[in-house]
Amino acid sequence: MKKILSCIKIKCFKYIRYMAAVSVLMIISLSQASCSNKTESPTQTASSSQANMSDTDLTEKKDVFLIDTDNAGDDGTDTLQVSDMSVKKKVPEQSFADVDETVYITADSVNIRKGASTSAPVLKKADKGAKFQRTGKNSEWSRIIVDGETAFVVTRYLTEEALQTTEGSKDQGGSSAQYASGAQIKLDPSWKYAGNSKINSGYAVLYKAENNRKDITVCVNAGHGTKGGSSVKTLCHPDGTAKVTGGTTAEGAVKTVAVSTGMTFNDGTSEAAVTLKMAKALKTELLSRGYDVLMIRESDDVQLDNIARTVIANNTSSCHIALHWDSTGGDKGAFYMGVPDVASYRQMEPVASTWEKHEALGKSLIQGLKNTGTRIFGDGRLPMDLTQTSYSTIASIDIELGDKASDHSDATINTLAKGLADGVGIYFGK
Ligand SMILES: [Zn+2]
């Protein structure tokens, strides 16, 4: 009988541990429970085993099984989980390996904290796909920048890969939500890479759609049109490395003109005048379809170099489309400047985190143009290492809508605007 009793005690003890592990509430309820709840326990001896379950036992069990809802709560689910007394341990000083990379949240409602500990105050919660700059990491915690402040998040809820969202990429870029329609947006010196810009006294203007709002902001960048832009040089790449392909600036160069002058059409019209006309037509088309539009340039001159244009777009827009015509003279058709398939280039940030979005946007625009009957050059893609691409943290493309010999009548421009707007719709799944 003694043997049976001790066996039952062990079983009951195991049961208590199990139940304690499920939840604190269950532990409390256990104070009234008996082994008779357990089907494999002989009912005859149930009451005697209950006698062994003193208040002291329960208190001890509670101490052992501190439940750290917070730890689990960092994935936002707030599921109860047992954490082996981790709460009782003093949090050791965290050391971080310095990094500089874009990361994305992999779960919903993840806690962003003021310190690298689950006991640190929660600054805010972030949802799946939210993008942050990571400045340090260790196996448990990552140091990130949130609204200009240092904050911390559990490393396992971060990925360096941009997440594919079912609604397209509208929430992956910057946001213009804080600005009113008509807002003049200057380069904010605190924005990433803003310090690399040399010409930035001008501003872009935001226009918000009145009807059928999509809450997607398209940056429309009329290529060229910066007085003095070709006598100033800026770094080709944010990290100071050399260009990997030749173009207006040769391969191997570290610096390039801040904004080039652009070509002149065979009929004597400047490229900058045509890109401006194109930008205005595209703005009208996009607004009518419910897109907000950030206009980089609305007259002959805007004092924003290619880096300033790109950084403003990064921080306010969902995608960035720079309008150009190529300097060849064969009326060869439209194409986008693809991201060169050069390992060092595709591994360089922010290209590494963004290049697939550039390619997807470029393909979508070409598809949209093709659908309107626009002539396409080859497969519609020519890889080129551009300042715009090198600094873009959102889907961003330089599209060449033709060349020196191409027609740029109002009718053609309007057709191109429809094709580009269709392409934006393809990209965002609208
Ligand atoms: Zn151009």
Side-chain angles (χ1 to χ4, degrees):
M1 184 61 187
K2 251 189 176 177
K3 247 188 174 176
I4 293 165
L5 259 177
S6 80
C7 169
I8 288 162
K9 275 185 218 165
I10 289 161
K11 279 189 173 177
C12 286
F13 181 69
K14 276 184 179 168
Y15 178 51
I16 293 159
R17 285 176 63 100
Y18 168 75
M19 291 305 285
V22 174
S23 86
V24 168
L25 290 174
M26 290 305 288
I27 293 170
I28 291 160
S29 73
L30 267 172
S31 64
Q32 290 146 10
S34 80
C35 285
S36 61
N37 289 340
K38 215 165 176 230
T39 50
E40 65 264 37
S41 298
T43 49
Q44 291 255 320
T45 52
S47 60
S48 58
S49 68
Q50 187 182 8
N52 288 301
M53 222 171 64
S54 69
D55 285 348
T56 320
D57 287 341
L58 277 170
T59 310
E60 279 168 13
K61 295 301 170 288
K62 273 188 199 169
D63 284 348
V64 170
F65 291 97
L66 273 171
I67 291 173
D68 176 20
T69 59
D70 209 283
N71 192 32
D74 279 310
D75 67 5
T77 56
D78 278 324
T79 309
L80 296 182
Q81 278 187 3
V82 173
S83 157
D84 291 328
M85 294 165 63
S86 63
V87 172
K88 288 193 153 184
K89 285 182 205 158
K90 199 166 183 297
V91 180
E93 196 63 31
Q94 301 275 341
S95 69
F96 292 92
D98 286 337
V99 293
D100 181 17
E101 58 197 6
T102 304
V103 286
Y104 302 84
I105 301 285
T106 59
D108 280 329
S109 202
V110 171
N111 288 328
I112 307 294
R113 295 180 178 278
K114 288 184 177 174
S117 158
T118 52
S119 57
V122 174
L123 199 62
K124 65 194 283 189
K125 286 185 182 282
D127 283 333
K128 192 172 182 175
K131 186 171 88 171
F132 296 99
Q133 200 62 24
R134 174 156 64 184
T135 62
K137 68 173 174 182
N138 62 39
S139 60
E140 279 184 71
W141 289 91
S142 283
R143 189 177 64 213
I144 59 173
I145 302 296
V146 178
D147 303 330
E149 283 181 54
T150 298
F152 299 86
V153 62
V154 171
T155 297
R156 70 176 185 277
Y157 298 127
L158 294 175
T159 174
E160 287 144 53
E161 302 288 320
L163 301 170
Q164 293 294 321
T165 65
T166 48
E167 290 188 53
S169 308
K170 69 174 179 180
D171 56 353
Q172 294 176 10
S175 169
S176 63
Q178 59 176 307
Y179 301 101
S181 191
Q184 298 173 349
I185 303 177
K186 298 191 75 167
L187 181 72
D188 182 333
S190 74
W191 284 338
K192 195 171 177 72
Y193 310 129
N196 286 19
S197 161
K198 294 281 176 62
I199 302 172
N200 48 55
S201 61
Y203 55 81
V205 181
L206 179 70
Y207 294 91
K208 292 199 164 180
E210 288 177 4
N211 302 308
N212 310 314
R213 289 191 49 74
K214 290 185 164 68
D215 291 318
I216 292 173
T217 305
V218 180
C219 171
V220 175
N221 178 359
H224 313 288
T226 300
K227 287 197 177 79
S230 58
S231 54
V232 177
K233 292 213 161 188
T234 51
L235 284 179
C236 298
H237 297 167
D239 65 0
T241 52
K243 267 187 72 148
V244 299
T245 66
T248 313
T249 304
E251 180 182 343
V254 168
K255 288 186 166 187
T256 185
V257 291
V259 182
S260 62
T261 311
M263 59 76 170
T264 304
F265 281 81
N266 289 345
D267 67 2
T269 314
S270 75
E271 184 192 352
V274 177
T275 62
L276 180 60
K277 185 160 86 164
M278 182 71 248
K280 288 176 175 175
L282 182 54
K283 169 195 163 194
T284 303
E285 188 64 35
L286 288 169
L287 283 171
S288 76
R289 298 186 187 201
Y291 296 97
D292 296 339
V293 177
L294 180 78
M295 289 289 279
I296 291 288
R297 179 165 72 88
E298 295 189 289
S299 68
D300 291 349
D301 175 45
V302 68
Q303 288 296 297
L304 294 172
D305 60 21
N306 288 330
I307 294 175
R309 296 176 188 213
T310 300
V311 173
I312 291 174
N314 286 347
N315 288 277
T316 58
S317 304
S318 316
C319 71
H320 175 183
I321 301 168
L323 306 165
H324 289 267
W325 271 258
D326 198 23
S327 56
T328 55
D331 192 14
K332 65 181 174 188
F335 60 97
Y336 73 92
M337 298 291 207
V339 181
D341 191 6
V342 175
S344 64
Y345 190 66
R346 289 191 175 182
Q347 284 162 12
M348 176 191 83
E349 290 295 355
V351 179
S353 299
T354 331
W355 73 267
E356 285 165 303
K357 282 189 260 187
H358 304 331
E359 290 288 343
L361 177 60
K363 281 194 185 78
S364 299
L365 296 181
I366 290 298
Q367 189 59 52
L369 291 169
K370 204 184 266 182
N371 293 350
T372 59
T374 300
R375 184 207 307 264
I376 305 297
F377 169 61
D379 62 357
R381 178 181 184 273
L382 187 77
M384 191 68 70
D385 176 346
L386 299 172
T387 301
Q388 178 187 344
T389 315
S390 304
Y391 285 85
S392 284
T393 59
I394 58 171
S396 177
I397 217 73
D398 170 322
I399 188 140
E400 306 280 327
L401 292 156
D403 64 19
K404 284 179 173 183
S406 300
D407 175 59
H408 53 85
S409 64
D410 291 354
T412 297
I413 294 291
N414 288 334
T415 302
L416 292 171
K418 285 190 166 54
L420 290 171
D422 286 352
V424 169
I426 293 167
Y427 178 71
F428 287 108
K430 300 290 175 190

